[in-house]
Amino acid sequence: MRFAFHKMHGLGNDFVVVDARVTAFPVDAALARGIADRHRGIGCDQLILLEPARDADLTMRIFNADGSEVEACGNATRCVAALVGGDVAIATAGGLLHASAAGGGANVDMGGPRFDWDGIPLAYAMDTLTMPVGWEGLAQPAAVNVGNPHVIFFVPDLDAVDLARLGPLIEHDPLFPQRINVNVAQMLAPDHIRLAVWERGAGLTRACGTGACATAVAAIRRGLASGPLTVTLPGGPLVIDWVPGGRILMRGPATHVFSGEADTDAFR
Ligand SMILES: N[C@@H](CCC[C@H](N)C(=O)O)C(=O)O
């Protein structure tokens, strides 16, 4: 099947966006993996599929590079808002999001975070603000669900952490029945966090919007920070705001790189 796509990125977290609002685009895990493949496909961290919605302007489906379909993607939400333009209500598996395109990027209302252990989800009950668990030097993380699941470690020196090695161990730990996105954060100031993310199903990425949201929320809950604050990822900064009990607001860039056409047969 011939299809059109947009290559986009948010701070280097890159996407293949297929607008299937008019013509359906049947995707399975193997096709998503093939499109995302950086050697044999188009290449991306996530494949984003736009479909019609009943109670929103559109539905956004998210497939990680490993083919798994997931609930939320902050950077893709900004890209979709920038692509569609104006104010847009986006239905996702993680909830209804409201976004508005703004000067080279977008503002997104990412909804409210969850902290209950079975809503993360974790395999068994524990405190999610300071979890009594650890993996080598990484210990006592926080867990936050912002539509998708995140675990956040605060460390004194981000450069001392080998996230490429520890990320997959933690992602696949039985404590996380739906696997987990692994965030390692260094507080630079009460309004500035440096962050690296091992993404579930995609590995190390240049940026993770939901990771920035989850980390900002965890830092505020722990009394380490107050919003609004800047989260600087390898690909650049995002601005996140949250007050306890409220909704998470994210602001950041969205870039359209090129548009193209391809044939699904090429990726199977
Ligand atoms: N890059 C994203 C998150 C994509 C989904 C994530 N890997 C998951 O499996 O939950 C972002 O910008 O939030």
Side-chain angles (χ1 to χ4, degrees), residues 1-8 15-27 31 35 42 46-51 83 256 258-265 267:
M1 176 186 171
R2 194 98 194 131
F3 68 100
F5 67 89
H6 303 282
K7 185 73 197 288
M8 301 191 77
F15 312 109
V16 170
V17 182
V18 178
D19 189 344
R21 284 178 292 174
V22 175
T23 306
F25 185 66
V27 177
L31 180 59
I35 290 173
I42 302 168
Q46 276 89 30
L47 168 66
I48 305 299
L49 195 56
L50 308 185
E51 293 182 341
L83 187 68
H256 186 274
F258 66 92
S259 298
E261 278 192 13
D263 206 299
T264 50
D265 288 346
F267 308 114

Side-chain angles (χ1 to χ4, degrees), residues 10 13-15 45-46 48 62-66 68-78 110 146-150 171 178-181 197-203 205 207-213 238 250:
N13 176 199
D14 64 339
F15 312 109
D45 295 323
Q46 276 89 30
I48 305 299
I62 303 143
F63 297 84
N64 281 322
D66 72 353
S68 56
E69 183 167 3
V70 294
E71 314 87 343
C73 180
N75 290 325
T77 307
R78 293 197 316 280
M110 294 291 290
V146 290
N148 59 354
H150 289 265
E171 176 191 352
Q178 292 178 14
R179 300 190 282 150
I180 198 96
N181 295 288
V197 186
W198 174 271
E199 282 195 31
R200 174 178 66 167
T205 57
C208 177
T210 51
C213 292
L238 292 172
M250 173 185 61

